[in-house]
Amino acid sequence: MTDVVVPQRLRSGDRVAVVAPSGRVDAARLAIGQRHLESWGLEVVILPAVLAGHERFRYLAADDKARADDLRSAWLDPQFAAVFCARGGYGVQRMLEYVDLDELVAVPKWFVGFSDITALHEPLNARGLVTVHGPMAAAVEQLENAQGRERLRALLFEPESVTDLLAPVGARTVVDGVAEGPLRGGNLAMLASSVGTPTYMPPAGVVVLEDVNEEAYRADRLLTQLLRAGWFKQVTGLVIGDFSEADDGIGDLIRERLEPLGVPMVEGAAIGHEALNLAVPLGLPVRLDATAGTLTPGGLAGS
């Protein structure tokens, strides 16, 4: 089993970098998010490509090489204690060919993001690095939610204080039981679209799933792709987060596809695209008690 590497906790006065591996970033929203991060005593540096724009494709923050160069320079620069993504959207998969993942893992530091950023979390977690699935620097609604903002701060600054990753909201039991293993997963669409790519590594452990704007039939297609690819073979437990802006049948569909796996499973976790997005440490060993609706982290206190 790959050794787990937990980055050092953040402290007031630390300098952190903001990068944009994915979609185009709104400067006004980023400025608001930056103030929230600075309220924690952090010095926030915005990397050059974040607001550069792409000359042909308006949905990208900048061209692929520039986004990858920002990520690399921020990560390898010892002045930065953490790397925050500005937002998700789409674009990480386009730039992965320019990223040396082993080079990044060799310099452990906190990496924060979700949604499209799953395409970076997954190969980093597979190499043993613990990362944070949580609110991003331009995610204004999430950073302005007091509970979600405090969870992110606590996870980065006072990790020993986070004893239940599903609290305070909790989750509903779908399949009883207890499961253990590294916490993996993230955005369903990104996980399904990684199958067959060079960074594809099926997870072994507890998996969290979330998504946005996926109707039931599209989520069905994504889950069926993962099931047929054998992606769930070593999954020990399931945490279903928010499936935002979806139709009413999405919950039934997820249960119909995943309950037959027979592993402990909860739904309704506050993880995803809603205003309350509870940050969780991907790659870290956890214990899911699906009967009690709790998710206990292990190994954070010493970070």
Side-chain angles (χ1 to χ4, degrees):
M1 178 179 174
T2 303
D3 291 337
V4 174
V5 179
V6 181
Q8 292 293 312
R9 70 182 66 202
L10 298 186
R11 293 172 171 80
S12 180
D14 279 345
R15 179 175 290 182
V16 301
V18 175
V19 300
S22 298
R24 194 177 187 92
V25 179
D26 181 278
R29 291 174 62 84
L30 179 60
I32 295 170
Q34 181 175 352
R35 289 196 290 272
H36 280 295
L37 299 182
E38 289 173 343
S39 73
W40 298 341
L42 297 174
E43 181 180 346
V44 180
V45 178
I46 310 299
L47 272 286
V50 172
L51 297 171
H54 193 289
E55 64 180 27
R56 293 180 61 196
F57 306 124
R58 290 186 57 80
Y59 54 83
L60 296 172
D63 69 69
D64 299 340
K65 189 66 165 55
R67 300 196 318 276
D69 285 347
D70 265 10
L71 177 66
R72 181 178 187 273
S73 61
W75 201 300
L76 299 182
D77 191 330
Q79 71 173 308
F80 296 122
V83 178
F84 285 78
C85 294
R87 61 158 298 191
Y90 169 75
V92 169
Q93 290 175 311
R94 288 179 53 116
M95 55 158 267
L96 281 175
E97 64 182 290
Y98 302 112
V99 177
D100 184 336
L101 295 160
D102 293 323
E103 179 183 49
L104 301 187
V105 171
V107 185
K109 58 182 60 177
W110 285 116
F111 177 63
V112 182
F114 77 104
S115 195
D116 193 67
I117 309 304
T118 296
L120 274 165
H121 283 306
E122 266 294 282
L124 292 171
N125 300 153
R127 288 164 171 78
L129 183 66
V130 175
T131 60
V132 173
H133 180 288
M136 295 176 278
V140 174
E141 294 80 6
Q142 295 185 344
L143 287 175
E144 292 188 340
N145 181 287
Q147 287 182 325
R149 184 175 66 249
E150 173 55 23
R151 162 60 67 82
L152 179 60
R153 188 205 65 81
L155 200 60
L156 295 172
F157 285 80
E158 303 167 4
E160 69 282 352
S161 69
V162 183
T163 57
D164 179 5
L165 296 168
L166 301 182
V169 176
R172 300 182 297 275
T173 304
V174 178
V175 179
D176 285 320
V178 173
E180 296 183 339
L183 185 64
R184 298 282 296 276
N187 182 261
L188 174 60
M190 289 298 101
L191 296 169
S193 61
S194 74
V195 174
T197 66
T199 56
Y200 171 62
M201 294 184 184
V206 178
V207 163
V208 59
L209 297 174
E210 64 84 27
D211 216 321
V212 62
N213 199 27
E214 295 290 357
E215 296 183 38
Y217 81 90
R218 292 204 295 258
D220 190 339
R221 180 171 59 211
L222 297 169
L223 289 170
T224 300
Q225 166 73 0
L226 291 177
L227 286 163
R228 297 187 68 213
W231 192 86
F232 291 96
K233 283 184 178 178
Q234 297 184 75
V235 170
T236 59
L238 292 163
V239 176
I240 308 303
D242 290 314
F243 276 71
S244 305
E245 300 175 34
D247 59 43
D248 292 339
I250 194 76
D252 287 340
L253 175 276
I254 292 171
R255 288 188 291 272
E256 189 272 341
R257 291 276 72 193
L258 298 182
E259 273 190 82
L261 294 173
V263 300
M265 176 178 171
V266 297
E267 64 182 5
I271 299 169
H273 285 75
E274 296 296 321
L276 175 57
N277 179 15
L278 295 176
V280 296
L282 294 178
L284 190 78
V286 295
R287 183 180 189 271
L288 170 66
D289 186 334
T291 308
T294 60
L295 186 64
T296 307
L300 272 177
S303 67

